[in-house]
Structures are given as structure tokens and as C-alpha cells.
């Protein structure tokens, strides 16, 4: 499917998040870490948290308006 979700959890909650996903048959992968004010995904993407939030919040309006 094309549906994806990015989940952020405290380091001490990592195993609980993985277990929960597995219990529900949801594939789960650690692809990066959040630290400070940036998201880093496998040395492929580094994005300021505020910029990521803006992209997420405006995704549907941008799509509707073909921006």
C-alpha cells in the first residue's frame, strides 16, 4: 500500500512500540532518530522538525489546490 506513518517515541519506549505494532500485524522499522530540532532518516534526509510539521499539516490543502 502507499499508506505510511512516522512514529516518534522516547528511546525507553522503543521496544513497547515495536511489540504493539507486531501484536497488530503492522510492519515496523526504525529508519532514523529525532534529536534536537531535526529529523534524520538514514543519512538520506535531514529536516527541521518545524518544516516537517508544516509539510504534514499542509499536505492535504496543497494537494487540493494543486500546489
Amino acid at each position: 500500500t502507499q499508506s505510511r506513518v512516522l512514529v516518534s517515541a522516547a528511546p525507553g519506549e522503543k521496544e513497547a512500540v515495536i511489540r504493539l505494532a507486531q501484536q497488530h500485524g503492522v510492519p515496523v522499522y526504525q529508519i532514523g532518530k529525532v534529536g534536537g530540532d531535526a529529523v534524520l532518516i538514514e543519512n538520506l534526509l535531514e529536516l527541521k522538525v518545524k518544516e516537517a510539521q508544516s509539510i504534514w499539516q499542509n499536505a492535504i490543502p496543497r494537494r487540493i489546490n494543486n500546489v
Side-chain angles (χ1 to χ4, degrees), residues 7-65:
V7 175
S8 179
E13 299 296 324
K14 175 184 169 183
E15 296 305 320
V17 170
I18 291 170
R19 270 194 312 279
L20 183 62
Q22 290 172 339
Q23 287 171 357
H24 292 278
V26 176
V28 61
Y29 308 96
Q30 180 176 342
I31 61 168
K33 293 184 179 184
V34 177
D37 65 347
V39 178
L40 174 62
I41 300 177
E42 295 185 342
N43 295 320
L44 298 173
L45 173 71
E46 184 171 351
L47 193 62
K48 297 290 184 189
V49 172
K50 286 185 179 184
E51 184 178 356
Q53 180 181 14
S54 175
I55 291 168
W56 175 76
Q57 287 178 324
N58 295 302
I60 294 174
R62 273 196 323 271
R63 191 66 163 158
I64 289 171
N65 296 316

